[in-house]
Amino acid sequence: EFNSSVSLFCSSSGSSLSFLWMKDSSELTSSDRVQITTNEENSTLTIVNILLFLHLDGPENVTIEEHHEKGSDINLTCSSDSSPSAEYQWFLNGDHLSSSGPLLITDTDGGSNLTVINVTRYDDGSYSCNVSNPVSSANSDPVNVSVSYGPENVNLESPSQNYPEGSDIRLSCSADSRPPATFEWFFNGNVLPGSGSQLELLNVQKNQSGNYSCQAFNSMTSRYQTSQVSVISIEDNTKAGSSDSLSSGAIAGIVIGCLVCVS
C-alpha cells in the first residue's frame, strides 16, 4: 500500500475549448483530494493522497527436487501476483542467469520458467528468482539444488607392492562422487569382509599375496566403478634371512683370506 499523488494532463488545439474529466462515465469535480486546473489550452487533473495497492507475492510455486542426477534436466517455475505486470530474473549463487547453451528461460503469463538441460556437477548451487514491477520488487527463497554424479576416477593407492611377512599394509581407495561413495574390497576377485575407503592388512602372510582392487558405489545414481588392480607380493622372511646370512659368511671368508695373505 502506497500513499502518493497522480497527475493526468490533457491538452488540445482550437479556440474556446472546455475540458471535462470523467471517471467510469461520471464527471469529476474539484474536491479535497481532486484538483483540476484548466486554462485555454490544457487541463491538469491531480488526485492527492491516492492509495495504490500492490499485491506482489513470492515468487511462489517454486518447484524443484532436492537432488538431480548428472545428465538429467532441472525445471524451476517462478510465479507471482503483480499489478502492474512483473519482470523476472534468475540467479545462481547470486550471479545473474540468462538464456544461453543448455540454459533456457521462458516467460509465461504471470511467471517465468528456468530449464537447465543435461545438468553437470557445476550446475548445482542456490537458485533464486527476483520479481519486480515499477513499484516494488521481491525475491524468492533460495532453492538449493544438488547434482548427483559418479563414482568416477576410482583410484587405488598402495605405497609399495612388495612386503615382507609380518608387515602391516594399508591400501587407500578414492573416487569422485556425490553423494560420497561407499567402497568394497576384493582379493583375487573375492569380496573381503568390511567396507570403507581404507583396507588394513595386519601381520600379513605369504598366502595373502595376490590381486587387490576396490569398487566404489553411489547409492543415489546406483552406479559402480572398479579401480585398477594392485598386485601385492608378500616375501618369505626365512629365505630372505638365509640369503643375508650366506652373504655375510662369504664376506667374512674374503676378509680372513686377505688377512692370511698379508701375514
Side-chain angles (χ1 to χ4, degrees):
E1 179 179 325
F2 299 88
N3 195 321
S4 183
S5 299
V6 173
S7 294
L8 303 178
F9 181 77
C10 181
S11 65
S12 181
S13 60
S15 59
S16 302
L17 298 176
S18 63
F19 296 87
L20 186 66
W21 289 96
M22 309 289 292
K23 177 188 177 184
D24 297 332
S25 301
S26 298
E27 181 181 355
L28 286 175
T29 58
S30 295
S31 65
D32 291 339
R33 294 183 55 244
V34 178
Q35 300 174 0
I36 300 176
T37 305
T38 303
N39 57 36
E40 294 180 354
E41 297 180 352
N42 55 63
S43 178
T44 302
L45 170 69
T46 301
I47 304 175
V48 299
N49 297 325
I50 190 171
L51 295 178
L52 299 178
F53 293 92
L54 171 66
H55 186 54
L56 182 58
D57 287 333
E60 61 186 16
N61 301 326
V62 179
T63 57
I64 187 65
E65 295 179 17
E66 184 178 353
H67 294 280
H68 284 263
E69 186 176 341
K70 174 184 173 183
S72 63
D73 296 343
I74 292 178
N75 294 288
L76 297 101
T77 298
C78 183
S79 64
S80 67
D81 295 328
S82 174
S83 179
S85 298
E87 294 183 355
Y88 296 83
Q89 296 184 83
W90 289 94
F91 296 87
L92 172 58
N93 298 326
D95 296 327
H96 182 258
L97 297 176
S98 58
S99 288
S100 63
L103 193 66
L104 181 63
I105 298 175
T106 55
D107 292 331
T108 62
D109 292 337
S112 178
N113 294 330
L114 171 67
T115 301
V116 185
I117 301 172
N118 192 23
V119 297
T120 69
R121 69 188 71 179
Y122 306 107
D123 294 316
D124 65 354
S126 178
Y127 287 82
S128 61
C129 174
N130 173 267
V131 181
S132 63
N133 65 19
V135 180
S136 185
S137 66
N139 293 316
S140 72
D141 292 330
V143 175
N144 295 316
V145 176
S146 178
V147 179
S148 302
Y149 61 87
E152 303 169 356
N153 304 317
V154 179
N155 183 49
L156 191 160
E157 297 179 3
S158 58
S160 174
Q161 293 183 338
N162 298 303
Y163 301 86
E165 279 186 315
S167 299
D168 294 339
I169 302 175
R170 290 175 175 82
L171 304 179
S172 179
C173 192
S174 61
D176 296 333
S177 178
R178 179 180 292 145
T182 57
F183 297 92
E184 279 190 324
W185 290 88
F186 294 82
F187 173 55
N188 291 333
N190 298 315
V191 179
L192 291 173
S195 61
S197 61
Q198 290 192 339
L199 174 66
E200 292 189 352
L201 304 173
L202 304 179
N203 190 27
V204 293
Q205 303 301 309
K206 191 174 181 181
N207 61 2
Q208 291 177 278
S209 296
N211 299 328
Y212 288 83
S213 62
C214 64
Q215 185 180 77
F217 173 68
N218 185 321
S219 60
M220 188 66 66
T221 64
S222 299
R223 294 179 181 174
Y224 296 85
Q225 190 176 89
T226 303
S227 72
Q228 78 278 19
V229 172
S230 179
V231 181
I232 302 296
S233 178
I234 310 300
E235 298 177 346
D236 191 333
N237 268 341
T238 304
K239 291 183 178 180
S242 176
S243 175
D244 291 343
S245 177
L246 290 174
S247 298
S248 300
I251 293 172
I254 294 172
V255 172
I256 293 172
C258 289
L259 290 174
V260 171
C261 292
V262 171
S263 63

